[in-house]
Amino acid sequence: MDTQQQILHYVLRLGDNALISGHRLGEWCSNAPILEEDLALTNFALDYIGRAENLYQYAAKLENKGHDEDFFAYRRSERDFQNHLLTELPNNNFADTMARLWFLSLYEFYLYNELCSSHDETIAAIAQKSIKEIKYHLRHTKEWVLRLGDGTSESHYKMQKAINDYWMYTGELFEMDTIDHEMLNLGIGINPQNIYSLWLKDVKETLNEAQLQVPEDSYMQTGGKNGIHTEYLGFILADMQYLQRAYPDAKW
Amino acid sequence: MTEEIKDTQWPLWEVFIQSNPGLPYKHAGSVHGSDKEIAMQNARDTYTRRNEGTSIWIVPSNSIVASNPSDSDMFFEPSNDKIYRHPTFYVMPEGALNI
């Protein structure tokens, strides 16, 4: 794989994480516990999908095969998607979604903060736009982790369960493979292991404040970055890609 | 026989948005929020998504003191026939803009 190909993969990974996260959050539309939260979650979904669009447009340019952003969203198969497993897991209950999104937003906060000074100008520009949205996602989800963790016995139970259930999917966020190494050397990407300690420190602080236990490290799930997914991604793609698969290039 | 309809939502807050620095805050509507931080975020998500504002105030709705509609005649009608309270009887100097 040459450098251009590696940059393409790096950009696609960022885009896939944003798209799948956005699609999941969009599923809350009309289902959130309260109207205001419905708006908040669908706003977040749109932030993510907008970010995915920007990244896929850049990917299309890097790929240089005449594809557009819709190709990457609607015409690729499960194995081509390189998003983290955490982004594709089902929404379940509100505490689950908040825990998942908080883990992700905190990771993205440190990731995109560093990408703002990427040597790749397009990635840096997208990061500078995204970081403002991510800060808000982080604020909102953290407030909910605190409130549900330190709320009633039922909300505490559900939030603790959510934190425990998703913990094994957080390891993958900080994995480093050859593409990451190469991007780091070129000053385009970041070292995910450097942001792990920052992430963990914040997680511990917030969980303590929320009267929640920090889960013990055990087996960590992995695979998403290499296209090996949970059973859930196939259902997401079936839902998301149906129209473009059935009626290629449909316009309205 | 009348059954009281209970509001099952969170407490209500009134939202005021300032569209530009220096301008007055205008009432935009209301939101529910379990406390002031959540209410502030809900106000942001509900009323500033289309670039409407640069600053937000929120106030618990039950802290608003409203005039009573039955006082309207005594409060507001006496000023109806006092047009001299509007500064419309002055001649503006020519060339004076923004008055």
mmCIF file of all heavy atoms in Angstrom, chain A residues 102-103 106-107 110 145 163 167 170 174 196-210 212-215:
data_model
loop_
_atom_site.group_PDB
_atom_site.id
_atom_site.type_symbol
_atom_site.label_atom_id
_atom_site.label_comp_id
_atom_site.label_asym_id
_atom_site.label_seq_id
_atom_site.Cartn_x
_atom_site.Cartn_y
_atom_site.Cartn_z
ATOM 1 N N TRP A 102 -20.637 9.137 25.148
ATOM 2 C CA TRP A 102 -19.668 9.826 26.004
ATOM 3 C C TRP A 102 -18.273 9.234 25.811
ATOM 4 O O TRP A 102 -17.309 9.983 25.621
ATOM 5 C CB TRP A 102 -20.107 9.731 27.470
ATOM 6 C CG TRP A 102 -19.114 10.289 28.430
ATOM 7 C CD1 TRP A 102 -18.613 11.562 28.448
ATOM 8 C CD2 TRP A 102 -18.467 9.585 29.504
ATOM 9 N NE1 TRP A 102 -17.694 11.689 29.482
ATOM 10 C CE2 TRP A 102 -17.602 10.490 30.143
ATOM 11 C CE3 TRP A 102 -18.566 8.274 29.991
ATOM 12 C CZ2 TRP A 102 -16.823 10.128 31.240
ATOM 13 C CZ3 TRP A 102 -17.793 7.925 31.090
ATOM 14 C CH2 TRP A 102 -16.930 8.846 31.700
ATOM 15 N N PHE A 103 -18.159 7.920 25.819
ATOM 16 C CA PHE A 103 -16.856 7.285 25.548
ATOM 17 C C PHE A 103 -16.305 7.784 24.209
ATOM 18 O O PHE A 103 -15.137 8.130 24.093
ATOM 19 C CB PHE A 103 -16.999 5.758 25.476
ATOM 20 C CG PHE A 103 -17.085 5.062 26.821
ATOM 21 C CD1 PHE A 103 -17.752 3.855 26.959
ATOM 22 C CD2 PHE A 103 -16.465 5.602 27.940
ATOM 23 C CE1 PHE A 103 -17.817 3.200 28.183
ATOM 24 C CE2 PHE A 103 -16.524 4.953 29.176
ATOM 25 C CZ PHE A 103 -17.206 3.747 29.288
ATOM 26 N N LEU A 106 -15.422 11.691 24.096
ATOM 27 C CA LEU A 106 -14.195 11.994 24.830
ATOM 28 C C LEU A 106 -12.973 11.580 23.995
ATOM 29 O O LEU A 106 -11.986 12.316 23.907
ATOM 30 C CB LEU A 106 -14.214 11.255 26.172
ATOM 31 C CG LEU A 106 -13.147 11.620 27.188
ATOM 32 C CD1 LEU A 106 -13.115 13.119 27.451
ATOM 33 C CD2 LEU A 106 -13.399 10.871 28.498
ATOM 34 N N TYR A 107 -13.083 10.414 23.359
ATOM 35 C CA TYR A 107 -12.018 9.958 22.461
ATOM 36 C C TYR A 107 -11.857 10.920 21.282
ATOM 37 O O TYR A 107 -10.750 11.357 20.955
ATOM 38 C CB TYR A 107 -12.356 8.546 21.981
ATOM 39 C CG TYR A 107 -11.659 8.124 20.704
ATOM 40 C CD1 TYR A 107 -10.314 7.776 20.691
ATOM 41 C CD2 TYR A 107 -12.375 8.069 19.506
ATOM 42 C CE1 TYR A 107 -9.696 7.392 19.511
ATOM 43 C CE2 TYR A 107 -11.760 7.683 18.331
ATOM 44 C CZ TYR A 107 -10.418 7.349 18.330
ATOM 45 O OH TYR A 107 -9.807 6.977 17.162
ATOM 46 N N TYR A 110 -10.061 14.328 22.071
ATOM 47 C CA TYR A 110 -8.596 14.331 22.043
ATOM 48 C C TYR A 110 -8.060 14.054 20.638
ATOM 49 O O TYR A 110 -7.066 14.641 20.213
ATOM 50 C CB TYR A 110 -8.038 13.325 23.054
ATOM 51 C CG TYR A 110 -8.199 13.818 24.474
ATOM 52 C CD1 TYR A 110 -9.031 13.172 25.379
ATOM 53 C CD2 TYR A 110 -7.533 14.968 24.897
ATOM 54 C CE1 TYR A 110 -9.188 13.646 26.669
ATOM 55 C CE2 TYR A 110 -7.693 15.453 26.187
ATOM 56 C CZ TYR A 110 -8.515 14.783 27.063
ATOM 57 O OH TYR A 110 -8.675 15.265 28.334
ATOM 58 N N VAL A 145 -24.176 11.387 32.008
ATOM 59 C CA VAL A 145 -23.516 10.334 32.783
ATOM 60 C C VAL A 145 -23.537 10.727 34.265
ATOM 61 O O VAL A 145 -23.852 9.907 35.135
ATOM 62 C CB VAL A 145 -22.065 10.115 32.289
ATOM 63 C CG1 VAL A 145 -21.307 9.200 33.228
ATOM 64 C CG2 VAL A 145 -22.070 9.532 30.878
ATOM 65 N N ILE A 163 -21.921 1.400 31.317
ATOM 66 C CA ILE A 163 -20.461 1.607 31.368
ATOM 67 C C ILE A 163 -19.756 0.247 31.317
ATOM 68 O O ILE A 163 -18.794 0.057 30.567
ATOM 69 C CB ILE A 163 -20.076 2.376 32.663
ATOM 70 C CG1 ILE A 163 -20.690 3.775 32.683
ATOM 71 C CG2 ILE A 163 -18.566 2.407 32.852
ATOM 72 C CD1 ILE A 163 -20.087 4.763 31.732
ATOM 73 N N TRP A 167 -17.443 -1.222 28.035
ATOM 74 C CA TRP A 167 -16.022 -1.086 28.369
ATOM 75 C C TRP A 167 -15.137 -1.905 27.433
ATOM 76 O O TRP A 167 -14.088 -1.443 26.981
ATOM 77 C CB TRP A 167 -15.791 -1.497 29.832
ATOM 78 C CG TRP A 167 -14.440 -1.116 30.335
ATOM 79 C CD1 TRP A 167 -13.384 -1.942 30.588
ATOM 80 C CD2 TRP A 167 -13.984 0.219 30.657
ATOM 81 N NE1 TRP A 167 -12.314 -1.214 31.040
ATOM 82 C CE2 TRP A 167 -12.653 0.100 31.092
ATOM 83 C CE3 TRP A 167 -14.580 1.484 30.606
ATOM 84 C CZ2 TRP A 167 -11.897 1.210 31.479
ATOM 85 C CZ3 TRP A 167 -13.822 2.587 30.985
ATOM 86 C CH2 TRP A 167 -12.500 2.441 31.410
ATOM 87 N N THR A 170 -13.889 -0.257 24.229
ATOM 88 C CA THR A 170 -13.121 0.993 24.242
ATOM 89 C C THR A 170 -11.652 0.766 23.892
ATOM 90 O O THR A 170 -10.979 1.694 23.468
ATOM 91 C CB THR A 170 -13.202 1.689 25.616
ATOM 92 O OG1 THR A 170 -12.720 0.785 26.624
ATOM 93 C CG2 THR A 170 -14.636 2.084 25.948
ATOM 94 N N PHE A 174 -7.920 2.822 20.805
ATOM 95 C CA PHE A 174 -6.532 3.255 21.009
ATOM 96 C C PHE A 174 -5.516 2.305 20.379
ATOM 97 O O PHE A 174 -4.333 2.396 20.636
ATOM 98 C CB PHE A 174 -6.272 3.419 22.511
ATOM 99 C CG PHE A 174 -7.284 4.328 23.152
ATOM 100 C CD1 PHE A 174 -8.351 3.801 23.872
ATOM 101 C CD2 PHE A 174 -7.212 5.696 22.972
ATOM 102 C CE1 PHE A 174 -9.312 4.637 24.421
ATOM 103 C CE2 PHE A 174 -8.173 6.537 23.514
ATOM 104 C CZ PHE A 174 -9.228 6.000 24.249
ATOM 105 N N TYR A 196 -4.693 7.909 25.025
ATOM 106 C CA TYR A 196 -5.355 6.949 25.905
ATOM 107 C C TYR A 196 -5.289 7.385 27.369
ATOM 108 O O TYR A 196 -6.290 7.343 28.085
ATOM 109 C CB TYR A 196 -4.736 5.559 25.744
ATOM 110 C CG TYR A 196 -5.275 4.546 26.727
ATOM 111 C CD1 TYR A 196 -6.611 4.169 26.680
ATOM 112 C CD2 TYR A 196 -4.455 3.990 27.718
ATOM 113 C CE1 TYR A 196 -7.124 3.252 27.584
ATOM 114 C CE2 TYR A 196 -4.960 3.082 28.629
ATOM 115 C CZ TYR A 196 -6.295 2.715 28.559
ATOM 116 O OH TYR A 196 -6.799 1.822 29.464
ATOM 117 N N SER A 197 -4.102 7.840 27.810
ATOM 118 C CA SER A 197 -3.971 8.201 29.223
ATOM 119 C C SER A 197 -4.837 9.416 29.559
ATOM 120 O O SER A 197 -5.416 9.496 30.645
ATOM 121 C CB SER A 197 -2.507 8.461 29.578
ATOM 122 O OG SER A 197 -1.963 9.395 28.674
ATOM 123 N N LEU A 198 -4.951 10.359 28.599
ATOM 124 C CA LEU A 198 -5.806 11.531 28.817
ATOM 125 C C LEU A 198 -7.269 11.099 28.932
ATOM 126 O O LEU A 198 -8.011 11.537 29.800
ATOM 127 C CB LEU A 198 -5.658 12.509 27.639
ATOM 128 C CG LEU A 198 -4.274 13.104 27.427
ATOM 129 C CD1 LEU A 198 -4.193 13.778 26.063
ATOM 130 C CD2 LEU A 198 -3.947 14.096 28.530
ATOM 131 N N TRP A 199 -7.644 10.209 28.013
ATOM 132 C CA TRP A 199 -9.020 9.692 27.985
ATOM 133 C C TRP A 199 -9.355 8.991 29.302
ATOM 134 O O TRP A 199 -10.383 9.251 29.925
ATOM 135 C CB TRP A 199 -9.145 8.735 26.798
ATOM 136 C CG TRP A 199 -10.491 8.116 26.584
ATOM 137 C CD1 TRP A 199 -11.516 8.630 25.845
ATOM 138 C CD2 TRP A 199 -10.951 6.855 27.094
ATOM 139 N NE1 TRP A 199 -12.583 7.768 25.866
ATOM 140 C CE2 TRP A 199 -12.271 6.668 26.625
ATOM 141 C CE3 TRP A 199 -10.382 5.868 27.905
ATOM 142 C CZ2 TRP A 199 -13.029 5.537 26.934
ATOM 143 C CZ3 TRP A 199 -11.133 4.739 28.214
ATOM 144 C CH2 TRP A 199 -12.441 4.587 27.733
ATOM 145 N N LEU A 200 -8.431 8.113 29.718
ATOM 146 C CA LEU A 200 -8.688 7.299 30.910
ATOM 147 C C LEU A 200 -8.789 8.178 32.160
ATOM 148 O O LEU A 200 -9.626 7.936 33.037
ATOM 149 C CB LEU A 200 -7.575 6.260 31.076
ATOM 150 C CG LEU A 200 -7.814 5.204 32.146
ATOM 151 C CD1 LEU A 200 -9.041 4.358 31.796
ATOM 152 C CD2 LEU A 200 -6.590 4.304 32.308
ATOM 153 N N LYS A 201 -7.948 9.201 32.214
ATOM 154 C CA LYS A 201 -7.973 10.095 33.379
ATOM 155 C C LYS A 201 -9.341 10.781 33.495
ATOM 156 O O LYS A 201 -9.939 10.828 34.570
ATOM 157 C CB LYS A 201 -6.857 11.139 33.232
ATOM 158 C CG LYS A 201 -6.695 12.055 34.414
ATOM 159 C CD LYS A 201 -5.408 12.876 34.268
ATOM 160 C CE LYS A 201 -5.387 14.043 35.230
ATOM 161 N NZ LYS A 201 -6.246 15.172 34.804
ATOM 162 N N ASP A 202 -9.823 11.287 32.371
ATOM 163 C CA ASP A 202 -11.135 11.953 32.372
ATOM 164 C C ASP A 202 -12.262 10.973 32.693
ATOM 165 O O ASP A 202 -13.203 11.310 33.414
ATOM 166 C CB ASP A 202 -11.419 12.594 31.000
ATOM 167 C CG ASP A 202 -10.560 13.824 30.772
ATOM 168 O OD1 ASP A 202 -9.823 14.207 31.701
ATOM 169 O OD2 ASP A 202 -10.624 14.397 29.667
ATOM 170 N N VAL A 203 -12.156 9.763 32.127
ATOM 171 C CA VAL A 203 -13.193 8.759 32.399
ATOM 172 C C VAL A 203 -13.259 8.480 33.899
ATOM 173 O O VAL A 203 -14.336 8.468 34.499
ATOM 174 C CB VAL A 203 -12.903 7.455 31.609
ATOM 175 C CG1 VAL A 203 -13.719 6.290 32.161
ATOM 176 C CG2 VAL A 203 -13.235 7.653 30.136
ATOM 177 N N LYS A 204 -12.090 8.277 34.504
ATOM 178 C CA LYS A 204 -12.063 7.960 35.937
ATOM 179 C C LYS A 204 -12.630 9.102 36.765
ATOM 180 O O LYS A 204 -13.419 8.892 37.684
ATOM 181 C CB LYS A 204 -10.626 7.649 36.386
ATOM 182 C CG LYS A 204 -10.175 6.256 35.964
ATOM 183 C CD LYS A 204 -8.760 5.971 36.435
ATOM 184 C CE LYS A 204 -8.370 4.535 36.089
ATOM 185 N NZ LYS A 204 -6.930 4.300 36.278
ATOM 186 N N GLU A 205 -12.232 10.331 36.410
ATOM 187 C CA GLU A 205 -12.718 11.501 37.164
ATOM 188 C C GLU A 205 -14.234 11.606 37.108
ATOM 189 O O GLU A 205 -14.894 11.799 38.128
ATOM 190 C CB GLU A 205 -12.106 12.783 36.573
ATOM 191 C CG GLU A 205 -10.823 13.199 37.258
ATOM 192 C CD GLU A 205 -10.236 14.450 36.604
ATOM 193 O OE1 GLU A 205 -11.007 15.240 36.000
ATOM 194 O OE2 GLU A 205 -9.014 14.602 36.691
ATOM 195 N N THR A 206 -14.771 11.477 35.897
ATOM 196 C CA THR A 206 -16.221 11.637 35.741
ATOM 197 C C THR A 206 -16.969 10.493 36.413
ATOM 198 O O THR A 206 -17.987 10.713 37.073
ATOM 199 C CB THR A 206 -16.594 11.725 34.245
ATOM 200 O OG1 THR A 206 -15.875 12.817 33.669
ATOM 201 C CG2 THR A 206 -18.078 11.943 34.049
ATOM 202 N N LEU A 207 -16.464 9.263 36.261
ATOM 203 C CA LEU A 207 -17.149 8.131 36.890
ATOM 204 C C LEU A 207 -17.146 8.289 38.410
ATOM 205 O O LEU A 207 -18.154 8.033 39.071
ATOM 206 C CB LEU A 207 -16.510 6.802 36.476
ATOM 207 C CG LEU A 207 -16.725 6.385 35.011
ATOM 208 C CD1 LEU A 207 -16.081 5.028 34.736
ATOM 209 C CD2 LEU A 207 -18.202 6.335 34.639
ATOM 210 N N ASN A 208 -16.029 8.738 38.957
ATOM 211 C CA ASN A 208 -15.984 8.980 40.409
ATOM 212 C C ASN A 208 -17.009 10.011 40.816
ATOM 213 O O ASN A 208 -17.748 9.826 41.783
ATOM 214 C CB ASN A 208 -14.587 9.485 40.825
ATOM 215 C CG ASN A 208 -13.622 8.339 41.023
ATOM 216 O OD1 ASN A 208 -14.045 7.213 41.299
ATOM 217 N ND2 ASN A 208 -12.334 8.605 40.864
ATOM 218 N N GLU A 209 -17.048 11.099 40.055
ATOM 219 C CA GLU A 209 -17.982 12.175 40.389
ATOM 220 C C GLU A 209 -19.426 11.679 40.281
ATOM 221 O O GLU A 209 -20.299 12.117 41.024
ATOM 222 C CB GLU A 209 -17.744 13.360 39.433
ATOM 223 C CG GLU A 209 -18.353 14.656 39.920
ATOM 224 C CD GLU A 209 -18.201 15.777 38.896
ATOM 225 O OE1 GLU A 209 -17.263 15.725 38.067
ATOM 226 O OE2 GLU A 209 -19.048 16.688 38.927
ATOM 227 N N ALA A 210 -19.657 10.755 39.361
ATOM 228 C CA ALA A 210 -21.012 10.233 39.136
ATOM 229 C C ALA A 210 -21.330 9.055 40.055
ATOM 230 O O ALA A 210 -22.368 8.417 39.898
ATOM 231 C CB ALA A 210 -21.171 9.813 37.676
ATOM 232 N N LEU A 212 -19.971 6.236 40.093
ATOM 233 C CA LEU A 212 -19.941 4.985 39.327
ATOM 234 C C LEU A 212 -18.567 4.328 39.470
ATOM 235 O O LEU A 212 -17.569 5.005 39.722
ATOM 236 C CB LEU A 212 -20.222 5.262 37.844
ATOM 237 C CG LEU A 212 -21.627 5.771 37.518
ATOM 238 C CD1 LEU A 212 -21.653 6.468 36.165
ATOM 239 C CD2 LEU A 212 -22.639 4.637 37.557
ATOM 240 N N GLN A 213 -18.556 3.003 39.320
ATOM 241 C CA GLN A 213 -17.304 2.255 39.409
ATOM 242 C C GLN A 213 -16.606 2.231 38.054
ATOM 243 O O GLN A 213 -17.263 2.076 37.024
ATOM 244 C CB GLN A 213 -17.588 0.797 39.814
ATOM 245 C CG GLN A 213 -18.293 0.643 41.152
ATOM 246 C CD GLN A 213 -17.410 1.047 42.307
ATOM 247 O OE1 GLN A 213 -16.204 0.761 42.298
ATOM 248 N NE2 GLN A 213 -17.982 1.738 43.280
ATOM 249 N N VAL A 214 -15.280 2.358 38.087
ATOM 250 C CA VAL A 214 -14.502 2.181 36.854
ATOM 251 C C VAL A 214 -14.372 0.678 36.622
ATOM 252 O O VAL A 214 -13.898 -0.035 37.501
ATOM 253 C CB VAL A 214 -13.102 2.812 36.990
ATOM 254 C CG1 VAL A 214 -12.320 2.651 35.698
ATOM 255 C CG2 VAL A 214 -13.203 4.265 37.406
ATOM 256 N N PRO A 215 -14.803 0.173 35.449
ATOM 257 C CA PRO A 215 -14.716 -1.279 35.219
ATOM 258 C C PRO A 215 -13.261 -1.738 35.213
ATOM 259 O O PRO A 215 -12.360 -0.965 34.880
ATOM 260 C CB PRO A 215 -15.330 -1.457 33.827
ATOM 261 C CG PRO A 215 -16.089 -0.221 33.557
ATOM 262 C CD PRO A 215 -15.397 0.867 34.302
#
